[in-house]
Amino acid sequence: MQQQTIAVLVNDYPGVLTRVSTLFGQRAFNIDSITVGGTEEAGLSRMIITTGGDDRQIDQLMKQLNKLIDVISVTNLSANSYVSRELALIKVSASPSQLAELNGIVEPFRAAIVDVGPTSLIVQVTGDTEKIDALLVLLQNYGVLELTRTGSVAMARSIVPATAAATV
Amino acid sequence: MSVEMAEIQKKNSIPPIQFGEEVSGAETLLRCLLLEQVEYIFGYPGGAVLPIYDSLYGSYFKHILTRHEQGAIHAADGYARATGKPGVCIATSGPGATNLVTGIATAQMDSVPLVCITGNVAQSLIGTDAFQEANITGITVPITKHSYFVRDVRDLPRIVKEAFHIATTGRPGPVLIDIPKDVANAIAPFTYPETVDVRGYRASVVPDDEEVQHFVTAIKAAKRPVIMAGGGIIAASADQELLAFAEKARIPVINTFMGLGGFPGVHELSLGMPGMHGNFTANQALLNADCVIGLGVRFDDRITMGRTKEFAPNARIVHVDIDPAELGKNVSTAVTVTGDVKSTLEKAIPLITACESEAWIRQLKDWQEKQPYKYKTDGDTLKPQAVIELLYRSTDGEAIVTTDVGQHQMWTAQYYKFKNARSFISSGGLGTMGFGFPAAIGAQIAHPERITIAVVGDGGFQMTNQELAIVSQYNIPVKVAIVNNQCLGMVRQWQELFYDNRYSQIDLTCSPDFVKLAEAYGVKGLRASTPQEAEAVWAEALAHDGPVVVDFRVAQEENVYPMVAAGNTLDQMELGDD
Ligand SMILES: Cc1ncc(C[n+]2csc(CCOP(=O)(O)OP(=O)(O)O)c2C)c(N)n1
């Protein structure tokens, strides 16, 4: 089972997210993460969905997604090289006196401390999943009080011609 | 306005359709339906659709007032399956709309084109749990091909146009249009688009030449080929092409349950139905074939038995389907063609030559003679299989036959040899009890000149028998053949075979007297308990110019054979008692 990242271009209508997520449930696929937002074209949204599955399962998933009338196109980004980023906010149990020490930890990750309180502070980090996981491991030593992270946003790399990406 | 539209306007609408005239949403809807050449609407009124029903008053439309919304949608479905044209039904908001749900799912599973129109509460009340509010577009997301909630009356014409386009093109299916009451009342100038452009929806059906070439090459090499023809043959009206292709290539044809009638059941190359209750030869053909050619089939688990690795173990599978998601979904294929079967076969017929299949055909004929469908006759006892044989003989395979779900459904598929496409109408995918009788009403309305028989069980008939009111009211001459075994027969069979004869909750001995029930609705009722009575009574039913209900009292303990038990493979077939 491989982690796959799929980009789905959809009409920006009410209920489209329901249609997509219902399809996953109905066809017994799992959504590991999903992000939705605007695109270069007004009226369209792009969903970035990460899910697990072998080639046959992903092929079937893409075909089923493509059958939805509100789906304009489906692209398997994992089929070629692509850029993906997540954002996480991590609330760490620490006092202001530990600020410098924590800065030393987050800096190599190009993360930032964006809020400081008497007993806790918030770290903001962007990057791929592994990078965020790695930072989390370090911060866990202090005590992670709260964690919230987005799913991936992703895009095929420019050197790959758009047509070469696996598209349905 | 195009010439064609002008023609429709002249012919159908009173008063004539004026473009640009200020009309209500309800009026707009009906005008759009006229321009879509809709003739019949099956429906049931209620508060949220009152504007639509008011516009219907005195209009050109033939509206059939069923006695339950489920009756309306199954009738629209029967109409669609019998004609290939989209069926149209209307229900009110809330409970009216939710009563359509089973019918929508039934149509979705069997790829039937329907346009279902529901009313909803005014938009100002949406989301407030208002009286008779249900989120029907939300409820039906997984069981429609697409659905619309209309927010603005000015979108309505485009939406109706798109709905018909989506329902009928590509792989057909049900489309829902939910219209809140304020939209039905809102006024706007009437327009109707002449073309549709649904971005991202590709309904292209013509296959690639290269794919067709691979298809032909794969088949030419086969010595033991078999065509498995499904509902796609009927949906694409490809029965003539299938006949020409099979005859030219000398390939025997299996019809799946949904494909019955897509190839003449009496043809020398016809093997009949495969699968759980299919015949010995059709299943042997799959087990021994070197090439299985799936045409508009989805390799359902009633055929593969869910054991897809062991299915057709010696064959390369070639698969043609209009829905790319079906290719490779259930079985691994050697060659695939994305396209509808009609245009695929049109392209393939000139390229194909006869396979070296004569020895194989002889072998299959031999099996067919040795292992036909069979049952024991027993003096005065009326056997259910004999009832179906009687229906077949008396109509020479030319009737439209709908069925409900259960043993009688399987016996109909086995013993009625369908000659024509669109003459066998049954809920294959969802297996919906209560479907058969209302579907027959829709089919009979579509083809008033043909004999339409609804073969139903005593169980399923009682789920929608209130529609006797409409066959009576509109004098729709459906012949209802109740295969009455006084129990839920198919459940009884499974309990006998797999639950040690523990017959839990299947007793229907306390059913109404079906003859009297028919008579209560003003419909002729007849009864037969022996083979002799059955002959006489059925002749009387056919001779009667109007609807008839015939209560065939059949042997209760009869089982459907052959049978492949769930979990087994096609070579583990129970042939039944000898
Ligand atoms: C709506 C619905 N409920 C339950 C079932 C399960 N079911 C399948 S066959 C069957 C028995 C049908 O009995 P009857 O209508 O008398 O027909 P028979 O099998 O006796 O021919 C049942 C309950 C179903 N298919 N549909």
Side-chain angles (χ1 to χ4, degrees):
Chain A
M1 188 106 117
Q2 257 174 291
Q3 183 82 11
Q4 308 267 358
T5 302
I6 294 172
V8 189
L9 192 64
V10 298
N11 283 321
D12 181 14
Y13 294 156
V16 174
L17 180 59
T18 310
R19 289 181 202 275
V20 170
S21 55
T22 300
L23 187 144
F24 275 76
Q26 184 182 2
R27 302 276 173 191
F29 290 103
N30 188 38
I31 298 176
D32 292 332
S33 86
I34 183 165
T35 62
V36 192
T39 63
E40 65 284 359
E41 189 179 331
L44 298 185
S45 296
R46 186 170 280 109
M47 299 182 173
I48 302 294
I49 302 171
T50 56
T51 182
D54 59 28
D55 289 351
R56 206 188 62 81
Q57 288 167 323
I58 294 302
D59 180 58
Q60 175 63 201
L61 173 63
M62 290 174 63
K63 285 172 169 172
Q64 292 293 347
L65 281 169
N66 212 47
K67 278 171 68 171
L68 297 178
I69 307 291
D70 283 320
V71 168
I72 312 290
S73 71
V74 185
T75 311
N76 184 0
L77 295 173
S78 314
N80 286 293
S81 86
Y82 67 106
V83 182
S84 104
R85 292 287 179 273
E86 259 180 68
L87 167 72
L89 294 175
I90 308 159
K91 191 178 282 172
V92 182
S93 166
S95 63
S97 63
Q98 291 170 287
L99 203 56
E101 182 187 336
L102 273 155
N103 257 325
I105 293 175
V106 303
E107 228 160 63
F109 289 86
R110 299 201 194 176
I113 293 167
V114 293
D115 179 67
V116 182
T119 59
S120 67
L121 48 81
I122 298 177
V123 177
Q124 169 193 307
V125 58
T126 57
D128 58 23
T129 309
E130 293 79 51
K131 175 176 152 186
I132 293 172
D133 288 346
L135 178 59
L136 257 176
V137 168
L138 295 178
L139 294 178
Q140 238 128 32
N141 295 332
Y142 294 85
V144 172
L145 300 174
E146 200 178 330
L147 165 70
T148 177
R149 61 200 280 186
T150 66
S152 309
V153 291
M155 201 175 265
R157 283 192 189 278
S158 309
I159 33 167
V160 185
T163 47
T167 306
V168 181
Chain B
M1 203 188 322
S2 70
V3 179
E4 195 192 342
M5 277 196 185
E7 216 24 64
I8 296 166
Q9 147 169 346
K10 248 199 346 250
K11 251 193 5 231
N12 297 349
S13 69
I14 319 160
I17 294 170
Q18 300 292 347
F19 284 72
E21 190 190 344
E22 298 271 326
V23 293
S24 70
E27 190 68 22
T28 300
L29 171 72
L30 293 180
R31 289 173 181 220
C32 296
L33 296 183
L34 269 182
L35 293 173
E36 286 298 330
Q37 316 209 32
V38 171
E39 199 179 349
Y40 284 98
I41 299 175
F42 303 87
Y44 207 96
V49 284
L50 278 178
I52 297 172
Y53 274 83
D54 186 59
S55 298
L56 206 55
Y57 189 74
S59 81
Y60 156 84
F61 282 108
K62 297 173 189 144
H63 179 278
I64 306 290
L65 173 67
T66 56
R67 297 304 188 263
H68 191 296
E69 287 85 356
Q70 191 178 354
I73 187 162
H74 291 329
D77 181 318
Y79 176 90
R81 294 192 207 215
T83 57
K85 294 192 271 185
V88 176
C89 62
I90 299 184
T92 192
S93 66
T98 54
N99 272 347
L100 295 180
V101 166
T102 302
I104 296 173
T106 304
Q108 169 84 347
M109 286 288 267
D110 290 346
S111 309
V112 179
L114 290 186
V115 174
C116 307
I117 295 152
T118 50
N120 211 328
V121 299
Q123 288 184 81
S124 55
L125 295 172
I126 292 275
T128 66
D129 300 324
F131 177 63
Q132 294 197 326
E133 184 192 356
N135 173 10
I136 193 66
T137 43
I139 290 170
T140 56
V141 162
I143 54 169
T144 47
K145 184 170 174 188
H146 193 51
S147 54
Y148 293 93
F149 178 77
V150 187
R151 279 157 210 283
D152 186 329
V153 69
R154 284 166 301 183
D155 294 335
L156 190 55
R158 172 185 59 79
I159 286 174
V160 175
K161 184 88 188 171
E162 286 181 9
F164 277 88
H165 177 68
I166 290 168
T168 53
T169 53
R171 181 177 183 167
V175 177
L176 180 109
I177 307 176
D178 194 28
I179 307 175
K181 196 168 179 180
D182 56 308
V183 170
N185 282 325
I187 305 289
F190 180 71
T191 59
Y192 199 57
E194 298 205 359
T195 52
V196 238
D197 175 25
V198 187
R199 185 171 171 191
Y201 175 62
R202 285 147 299 253
S204 156
V205 293
V206 180
D208 224 63
D209 286 341
E210 204 181 320
E211 286 192 345
V212 176
Q213 190 58 58
H214 287 310
F215 169 79
V216 169
T217 311
I219 295 168
K220 273 185 181 168
K223 299 222 162 29
R224 285 171 284 118
V226 62
I227 291 171
M228 190 157 95
I233 296 288
I234 290 155
S237 301
D239 45 319
Q240 291 309 314
E241 289 74 11
L242 172 61
L243 186 63
F245 183 81
E247 285 182 343
K248 188 169 180 206
R250 297 293 297 158
I251 305 178
V253 179
I254 290 171
N255 281 110
T256 69
F257 180 82
M258 289 304 296
L260 289 173
F263 189 77
V266 288
H267 194 281
E268 56 133 355
L269 290 171
S270 170
L271 303 181
M273 183 175 77
M276 178 179 274
H277 292 301
N279 69 73
F280 179 81
T281 309
N283 284 347
Q284 284 302 318
L286 289 170
L287 290 165
N288 292 287
D290 61 356
C291 179
V292 171
I293 305 145
L295 301 177
V297 288
R298 61 192 179 90
F299 295 94
D300 178 67
D301 56 271
R302 279 292 187 270
I303 292 173
T304 63
M305 307 310 297
R307 307 264 301 252
T308 49
K309 294 229 164 58
E310 289 118 311
F311 173 74
N314 305 303
R316 298 178 79 209
I317 297 179
V318 177
H319 192 185
V320 181
D321 208 284
I322 196 163
D323 179 354
E326 288 302 335
L327 304 172
K329 184 178 91 174
N330 290 340
V331 294
S332 299
T333 45
V335 177
T336 60
V337 180
T338 309
D340 85 318
V341 275
K342 191 184 182 85
S343 36
T344 304
L345 292 179
E346 273 169 355
K347 283 190 173 190
I349 289 167
L351 307 176
I352 199 78
T353 51
C355 297
E356 288 174 40
S357 56
E358 295 309 320
W360 167 239
I361 292 171
R362 270 196 306 281
Q363 163 79 80
L364 293 167
K365 284 250 136 331
D366 191 43
W367 277 328
Q368 263 183 323
E369 270 153 38
K370 289 196 180 119
Q371 297 286 1
Y373 289 123
K374 53 179 184 277
Y375 64 95
K376 272 202 206 134
T377 48
D378 165 14
D380 264 0
T381 317
L382 183 56
K383 289 295 180 89
Q385 300 91 333
V387 171
I388 309 298
E389 285 183 324
L390 170 61
L391 305 184
Y392 171 62
R393 250 186 293 118
S394 64
T395 53
D396 195 27
E398 296 284 356
I400 299 177
V401 180
T402 73
T403 79
D404 219 79
V405 173
Q407 291 182 314
H408 65 279
Q409 178 189 34
M410 291 301 130
W411 285 317
T412 306
Q414 292 178 338
Y415 287 91
Y416 198 100
K417 307 274 175 260
F418 292 92
K419 282 190 183 158
N420 309 306
R422 303 197 179 282
S423 59
F424 177 60
I425 294 175
S426 188
S427 167
L430 197 68
T432 307
M433 281 172 78
F435 172 83
F437 176 43
I441 294 169
Q444 180 77 79
I445 285 172
H447 295 289
E449 73 296 348
R450 290 182 67 182
I451 298 172
T452 301
I453 306 170
V455 183
V456 298
D458 46 331
F461 184 52
Q462 292 186 67
M463 290 197 175
T464 46
N465 66 14
Q466 75 283 351
E467 305 308 343
L468 281 168
I470 65 174
V471 295
S472 177
Q473 179 179 354
Y474 303 99
N475 194 31
I476 303 165
V478 169
K479 316 292 178 199
V480 181
I482 308 176
V483 180
N484 185 350
N485 51 14
Q486 302 192 47
C487 66
L488 295 172
M490 189 57 98
V491 179
R492 187 199 168 283
Q493 172 164 349
W494 283 56
Q495 289 174 343
E496 178 186 324
L497 299 177
F498 310 116
Y499 293 87
D500 201 17
N501 296 338
R502 289 158 59 87
Y503 295 124
S504 178
Q505 304 299 323
I506 53 150
D507 181 13
L508 295 180
T509 47
C510 201
S511 295
D513 177 328
F514 289 113
V515 173
K516 284 191 183 154
L517 179 75
E519 286 168 357
Y521 280 102
V523 171
K524 188 180 181 75
L526 297 166
R527 176 168 294 126
S529 305
T530 66
Q532 295 74 22
E533 281 173 15
E535 294 275 348
V537 155
W538 184 244
E540 190 182 342
L542 286 183
H544 178 67
D545 184 21
V548 186
V549 173
V550 185
D551 182 19
F552 289 105
R553 296 298 192 105
V554 299
Q556 183 173 60
E557 61 288 345
E558 208 60 23
N559 285 341
V560 183
Y561 287 112
M563 177 169 193
V564 181
N568 284 351
T569 51
L570 293 181
D571 56 348
Q572 295 161 302
M573 185 169 207
E574 301 252 2
L575 290 168
D577 41 8
D578 277 287

